[in-house]
């Protein structure tokens, strides 16, 4: 089974002293991976809440895959809290072309940061993974205990194996060292700083870019692959950042937690909503000769909801916010 045993869970939770995250707004917090979609949202959230002692390093300033550099950084900076979102990420093509990079670099980043954080007295660490950790044919909605119950999706198993190792490393350090390391697994994310690249972006930013470019060109139609019937779940990255702060303050358990919106939308509904937000007035055409992909992918986030956290940003409001950012930062 994917989870730890009940006895281990009770022991690890009971013996790890959790620290109040909000008690000291001057606490030094290292956000590893602060320039990406997730990291930038976490930095915005922390600053909004009044946390001003943030330790941030670009990849050029600190290569997290280099053990000696990471050890020296932690020994010098001595952060009190760490939020680990740095990762090598990419789509199906990148994963299949560079599998060694995806498993090795991610394992290096995680191992270096988690171990150095522990050895240098970090009070609490949050590790963020991805919904791709779950088996290809996991039950829907996907519960946390589906982890390691079946084969992974072959196209990104290198990345998934690394992320699963990160979860297990946090659990192992909690069990052996009584250290407060926790893990969260987000669903599909979107928002400011997303990747809108025409070839390798995910479905939501790809749709937004295509509708925008069609509007600018005055095109009569936009063709989208498939029937539009698959169900997907989306979470605005600012909601994820809010959940991360909640977990840093309120959760100190052994098991990883899913972080999702709990709301499903068909690709057809999503496309029509993006079309409306962008203001494209042409036709939306479905090329049903093209594949649909997985019919349903939804995470079970009821454990997190039971702790008292739920998302606040509706899909419509989130799309409006994301399109505003796209217009100001991406479109030519």
């Amino acid at each position: 089974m994917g989870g730890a045993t009940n006895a281990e869970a009770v022991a690890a939770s009971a013996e790890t002293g959790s620290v109040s995250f909000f008690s000291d707004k001057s606490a030094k917090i290292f956000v590893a991976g602060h320039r990406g979609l997730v990291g930038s949202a976490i930095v915005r959230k922390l600053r909004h809440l009044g946390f001003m002692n943030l330790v941030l390093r670009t990849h050029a300033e600190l290569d997290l895959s280099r053990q000696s550099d990471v050890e020296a950084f932690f020994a010098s900076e001595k952060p009190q809290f760490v939020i680990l979102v740095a990762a090598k990420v990419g789509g199906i093509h990148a994963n299949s072309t560079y599998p060694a990079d995806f498993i090795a670099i991610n394992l290096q980043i995680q191992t270096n940061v988690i171990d150095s954080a522990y050895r240098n007295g970090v009070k609490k660490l949050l590790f963020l993974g991805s919904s791709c950790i779950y088996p290809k044919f996991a039950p829907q909605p996907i519960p946390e205990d589906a982890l390691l119950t079946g084969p992974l999706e072959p196209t990104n198993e290198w990345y998934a194996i690394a992320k699963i190792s990160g979860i297990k490393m946090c659990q192992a350090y909690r069990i052996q060292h009584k250290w407060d390391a926790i893990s969260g697994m987000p669903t599909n994310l979107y928002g400011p700083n997303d990747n809108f690249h025409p070839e390798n972006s995910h479905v939501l930013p790809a749709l937004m870019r295509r509708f925008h470019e069609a509007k600018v060109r005055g095109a009569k139609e936009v063709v989208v692959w498939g029937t539009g019937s698959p169900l997907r779940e989306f979470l605005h990255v600012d909601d994820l950042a809010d959940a991360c702060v909640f977990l840093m303050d309120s959760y100190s358990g052994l098991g990883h937690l899913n972080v999702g919106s709990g709301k499903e939308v068909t690709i057809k509904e999503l496309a029509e909503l993006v079309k409306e937000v962008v203001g494209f007035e042409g036709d939306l055409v479905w090329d049903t000769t093209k594949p649909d992909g997985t019919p349903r992918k939804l995470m079970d986030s009821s454990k997190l909801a039971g702790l008292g956290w739920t998302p606040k940003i509706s899909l419509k409001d989130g799309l409006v916010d994301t399109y505003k950012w796209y217009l100001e930062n991406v479109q030519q």
Side-chain angles (χ1 to χ4, degrees):
M1 289 296 291
T5 66
N6 288 337
E8 284 174 336
V10 170
S13 295
E15 294 173 8
T16 303
S18 185
V19 179
S20 173
F21 186 63
F22 290 113
S23 62
D24 181 8
K25 294 287 179 72
S26 66
K28 189 180 276 193
I29 304 168
F30 176 41
V31 181
H34 73 282
R35 279 188 159 179
L37 172 66
V38 176
S40 60
I42 290 171
V43 169
R44 282 197 305 274
K45 181 66 179 178
L46 290 171
R47 285 178 172 157
H48 176 73
L49 291 170
F51 290 94
M52 286 314 191
N53 198 1
L54 305 185
V55 184
L56 310 173
R57 294 288 186 277
T58 64
H59 178 74
E61 293 168 333
L62 176 62
D63 184 345
L64 296 173
S65 69
R66 295 175 63 90
Q67 183 178 354
S68 58
D69 292 359
V70 175
E71 288 174 346
F73 164 79
F74 272 92
S76 168
E77 289 292 339
K78 297 282 186 186
Q80 291 161 270
F81 298 98
V82 173
I83 301 177
L84 174 51
V85 296
K88 179 173 179 60
V89 298
I92 291 172
H93 176 71
N95 270 269
S96 58
T97 309
Y98 307 107
D101 290 353
F102 277 89
I103 192 164
I105 293 172
N106 283 304
L107 285 172
Q108 288 161 353
I109 290 171
Q110 294 161 196
T111 303
N112 294 340
V113 172
I114 293 169
D115 187 69
S116 288
Y118 164 68
R119 293 184 185 281
N120 286 278
V122 167
K123 294 177 180 177
K124 186 168 191 171
L125 177 142
L126 168 61
F127 169 69
L128 284 187
S130 160
S131 59
C132 74
I133 63 166
Y134 291 113
K136 182 173 183 176
F137 301 110
Q140 301 288 334
I142 309 171
E144 285 89 351
D145 62 9
L147 184 66
L148 297 176
T149 58
L152 298 164
E153 166 58 54
T155 55
N156 61 10
E157 66 177 341
W158 322 105
Y159 177 77
I161 288 286
K163 287 295 175 181
I164 293 168
S165 298
I167 296 171
K168 291 300 173 185
M169 192 167 177
C170 288
Q171 291 177 345
Y173 275 60
R174 177 176 288 271
I175 292 167
Q176 182 175 332
H177 298 303
K178 315 299 182 281
W179 184 54
D180 199 2
I182 60 173
S183 300
M185 298 301 119
T187 187
N188 300 313
L189 301 167
Y190 72 99
N193 283 314
D194 206 343
N195 171 21
F196 290 87
H197 191 278
E199 269 87 54
N200 59 17
S201 57
H202 292 125
V203 60
L204 191 153
L207 284 171
M208 186 167 285
R209 180 174 187 132
R210 290 184 64 196
F211 280 121
H212 173 78
E213 291 179 347
K215 181 178 82 167
V216 170
R217 289 196 317 269
K220 298 240 182 332
E221 64 180 35
V222 167
V223 179
V224 182
W225 280 22
T227 64
S229 64
L231 288 158
R232 292 293 182 269
E233 175 188 27
F234 296 95
L235 183 72
H236 192 285
V237 72
D238 287 347
D239 269 335
L240 173 62
D242 187 61
C244 289
V245 171
F246 176 86
L247 290 172
M248 287 295 286
D249 187 62
S250 304
Y251 182 67
S252 194
L254 184 66
H256 68 281
L257 286 179
N258 289 341
V259 185
S261 65
K263 293 177 180 168
E264 290 179 289
V265 61
T266 65
I267 296 297
K268 185 172 188 293
E269 290 165 337
L270 175 68
E272 288 169 348
L273 201 51
V274 173
K275 177 176 181 281
E276 178 190 334
V277 166
V278 170
F280 174 67
E281 295 180 352
D283 294 328
L284 173 55
V285 178
W286 295 92
D287 182 355
T288 56
T289 66
K290 296 295 194 294
D292 264 336
T294 308
R296 188 185 189 206
K297 191 175 180 186
L298 172 69
M299 290 171 70
D300 180 351
S301 301
S302 57
K303 283 188 178 179
L304 181 56
L307 294 173
W309 186 87
T310 50
K312 299 164 186 66
I313 302 170
S314 71
L315 183 57
K316 175 74 177 287
D317 290 345
L319 288 174
V320 169
D321 169 71
T322 304
Y323 187 51
K324 181 173 180 287
W325 185 89
Y326 174 85
L327 290 175
E328 292 170 355
N329 295 275
V330 179
Q331 63 97 25
Q332 303 302 317

